[in-house]
Amino acid sequence: MSSNSWRLASRRTLLIIGLIVIIVVVAVLAIIYTSQKAEAVEYRREPVGTTSVPAFTRPVGTDQRNVTSPSSGGRTFQSNTPGLYAGTPGQAPCDRQALITELQADPRKAAAWSQIEGIRSADITNYVNQLSSVTLRSDTYVTSYGFRSGAVTWDGLVLQAGTAVFIDQHGTPVAKCNCGNPVKVTAPPQGAQATFSGPTWSSFSSNSVTVVNRSSTVIKNIIIVNAERKGLVEQRLDGGDNSTYILLERDQYPSECAMCGEGNAPTGIPSPPEVTDEPSGGTTTPPEGTTTPPEGTTTPPEDTTTPPEGTTTPPESTTPPEETTPPSEAPSEQPPSEQPPSEQPPSEQPPSEQPPSEQPPSQQPPNQPEQPQQPQPEQPQPQQPQEQPPAS
């Protein structure tokens, strides 16, 4: 009886262990299967001079051909990084007035376009006049929004180096010039594997596609690569003349430069540190035939098919130039006028501690309360504890 009971117990144990192993194997296979499906993100390659997303307008700019994506691309750069874009002095690649005219000719397109950009239809003229145009120096991830039959479409794209784009006062691409389509900088989700479709070009490499990370501050000037000859130029981003450039001398070059030593960029300037932050907006590629933008992007209202002009309400992501400039200037103007009255109370507290306060004048205020605990100038006090141990 004892041997039979032992055999039954061992069989039950083996069955339980077998069931546990089967459950674990099934769970692991399910995790692998779902992770592989979630990590596959498709982007369509879009060569210069073409558009795979239905165009909002006729061409309002010209792409530049024969621009090779630098081998040092494939990184995430801040949108204000010197050398990220290229341009030709005296020749703006895009026409702002042509874009305004094209959008105002069709109220439905104007309503949808402004909604994607986060502005009102009535503000298109003012918004576009604050944009500047540049040429992409490397293949770049974006999400492009198109317009067809009264509905908004979109797709995740890789724009080829040489594509002309409008950038806002944060240095971020916001529209593609050869079709007028709004674009948003995107990147593959962390841990996802990007796949590519569509026509390709000889210099394309999945490891050289650049991600542009939006700058949190407004930029007055941006340093770009001179597309005509080797060197750097400075371009205004304050809504002025779109073809105004300032040629920089060698001693005026920045200490860091994106993809310098590639193409027409000068050599000997180090690249900026790696940026790990991903741009907001997500990068999921929507299925074909859908009309709702992916999560994290600005969604046009459902009635964009027949919206009356001026009726669209701007989302929360309105244009930030007016909101960001005052904070950057306010702190620089307030301290000189408000510091004297605010420093009077601390100046009255340590009058008896003038010797220790003379060593760190005002650089490290938090260390002043620690200095009275360790009175360095008073030599008799540190000598007394030294004499007490032998006395004890």
Side-chain angles (χ1 to χ4, degrees), residues 56 111-119 145-146 152-153 182-184 298-300 315 317:
F56 258 88
W113 194 93
S114 59
Q115 189 73 14
I116 297 170
E117 296 289 359
I119 61 174
Y145 296 83
V152 174
T153 62
V183 298
K184 293 183 181 296
T298 307
T299 57
S317 58

Side-chain angles (χ1 to χ4, degrees), residues 36-315:
Q36 287 179 348
K37 290 184 62 177
E39 291 178 358
V41 181
E42 183 179 355
Y43 289 88
R44 181 174 178 81
R45 292 180 291 257
E46 188 162 283
V48 294
T50 65
T51 176
S52 58
V53 181
F56 258 88
T57 67
R58 290 178 294 183
V60 295
T62 304
D63 295 338
Q64 184 177 352
R65 299 183 181 276
N66 302 322
V67 176
T68 303
S69 181
S71 59
S72 57
R75 292 181 49 186
T76 299
F77 291 103
Q78 286 290 120
S79 58
N80 59 350
T81 303
L84 182 60
Y85 306 116
T88 302
Q91 299 178 11
C94 308
D95 189 342
R96 291 181 292 193
Q97 186 56 48
L99 177 60
I100 295 173
T101 302
E102 286 286 330
L103 292 175
Q104 290 180 342
D106 191 334
R108 295 188 304 170
K109 289 184 178 180
W113 194 93
S114 59
Q115 189 73 14
I116 297 170
E117 296 289 359
I119 61 174
R120 299 180 304 169
S121 298
D123 296 333
I124 287 179
T125 299
N126 182 53
Y127 175 73
V128 174
N129 282 329
Q130 293 179 355
L131 303 178
S132 301
S133 58
V134 295
T135 301
L136 298 179
R137 289 191 61 221
S138 62
D139 303 339
T140 306
Y141 285 112
V142 299
T143 297
S144 178
Y145 296 83
F147 189 84
R148 176 170 47 188
S149 302
V152 174
T153 62
W154 70 94
D155 200 0
L157 303 179
V158 174
L159 300 182
Q160 184 183 5
T163 301
V165 295
F166 281 110
I167 60 174
D168 61 10
Q169 290 184 312
H170 290 257
T172 308
V174 294
K176 192 169 180 283
C177 296
N178 74 337
C179 55
N181 289 356
V183 298
K184 293 183 181 296
V185 292
T186 53
Q190 188 174 5
Q193 181 180 4
T195 60
F196 305 94
S197 62
T200 187
W201 45 91
S202 59
S203 61
F204 174 79
S205 172
S206 59
N207 297 324
S208 62
V209 184
T210 297
V211 176
V212 178
N213 195 54
R214 178 183 176 86
S215 173
S216 59
T217 59
V218 172
I219 307 168
K220 293 183 179 180
N221 301 285
I222 191 170
I223 297 176
I224 63 178
V225 173
N226 188 351
E228 285 188 340
R229 61 182 180 85
K230 191 173 184 178
L232 300 176
V233 296
E234 186 177 69
Q235 180 179 352
R236 296 171 54 184
L237 293 186
D238 57 358
D241 187 358
N242 207 14
S243 60
T244 300
Y245 298 86
I246 301 175
L247 295 174
L248 297 181
E249 300 295 336
R250 191 62 178 85
D251 57 355
Q252 296 176 319
Y253 284 176
S255 58
E256 297 176 340
C257 177
M259 300 173 288
C260 272
E262 302 282 352
N264 292 333
T267 59
I269 305 178
S271 297
E274 181 73 21
V275 178
T276 56
D277 295 336
E278 294 184 356
S280 59
T283 57
T284 55
T285 304
E288 297 181 358
T290 56
T291 56
T292 305
E295 295 182 1
T297 57
T298 307
T299 57
E302 297 179 356
D303 58 347
T304 52
T305 54
T306 56
E309 186 175 4
T311 57
T312 56
T313 56

